[in-house]
Amino acid sequence: MSASASPLYRTAIAAAWIDFNGHLRDAYYGLILSYAADALMDQIGMDAAYRAATHNTLYTVELHLHFLSEVHASDQVLVNAHILGVDRKRIHAGFDLHCEGRTEPAATAEFMLLHVHQGTTVSACEFAPEVAAAIERMRSQPGAASWAGPGSRRLELRGR
């Protein structure tokens, strides 16, 4: 999805988020993407009312983040989400973070999100039928599979 598509999440870059190199500090990419994951929850029907009524939410159990270009204080960032896979309890989501006015993403991320019930203990649980249907609708939208990310890979230093 390009930066021109309707973004799931949009934010300006706060001056306090800029590091000594003059660009967005790595931790704030994670913050922006975490807020985008919250917006994804709203989009699939897991909004504040759902969470209060069911005590169900999403936990991030794994995150892979790829930094592709610098983000500066003057940038406005737009985040799009793509459902890469889903089962009864999990969503594999791809996010692309664009600077407004640029076509190539500044960062991409993969999230593995787990649906949990927060009762006296926390336990994984199946999506409610209406949430599962909303996830499937999002996954089957035209262009939904066109995620810009490089995909998961193992982080390692390779020997000679």
Side-chain angles (χ1 to χ4, degrees):
M1 209 177 265
S2 71
S4 63
S6 179
L8 179 71
Y9 182 74
R10 172 190 300 264
T11 190
I13 301 302
W17 298 355
I18 300 301
D19 67 12
F20 47 84
N21 294 314
H23 51 77
L24 186 63
R25 181 174 296 279
D26 54 1
Y28 291 104
Y29 287 83
L31 176 71
I32 292 166
L33 291 160
S34 181
Y35 283 134
D38 291 350
L40 173 64
M41 289 177 63
D42 290 345
Q43 185 167 331
I44 62 173
M46 293 183 62
D47 58 11
Y50 171 90
R51 294 188 303 272
T54 65
H55 302 286
N56 294 344
T57 191
L58 291 178
Y59 279 12
T60 299
V61 294
E62 191 167 349
L63 168 63
H64 296 207
L65 179 55
H66 299 273
F67 302 98
L68 305 174
S69 66
E70 295 176 356
V71 175
H72 299 98
S74 60
D75 288 322
Q76 177 88 205
V77 296
L78 318 170
V79 182
N80 297 303
H82 309 266
I83 305 298
L84 305 176
V86 63
D87 65 15
R88 299 177 351 246
K89 300 177 185 179
R90 295 175 298 174
I91 301 171
H92 178 200
F95 291 83
D96 49 75
L97 184 149
H98 290 264
C99 294
E100 193 166 45
R102 292 192 230 157
T103 56
E104 295 300 315
T108 62
E110 286 180 272
F111 280 71
M112 186 61 68
L113 302 167
L114 179 65
H115 189 243
V116 299
H117 179 75
Q118 296 177 311
T120 54
T121 61
V122 174
S123 58
C125 61
E126 292 186 14
F127 292 111
E130 64 276 11
V131 171
I135 295 167
E136 188 54 38
R137 280 191 303 276
M138 187 175 176
R139 189 171 78 96
S140 63
Q141 289 176 346
S146 63
W147 183 57
S152 295
R153 57 184 181 222
R154 192 163 95 192
L155 184 66
E156 66 182 335
L157 293 174
R158 295 184 183 184
R160 295 182 184 199

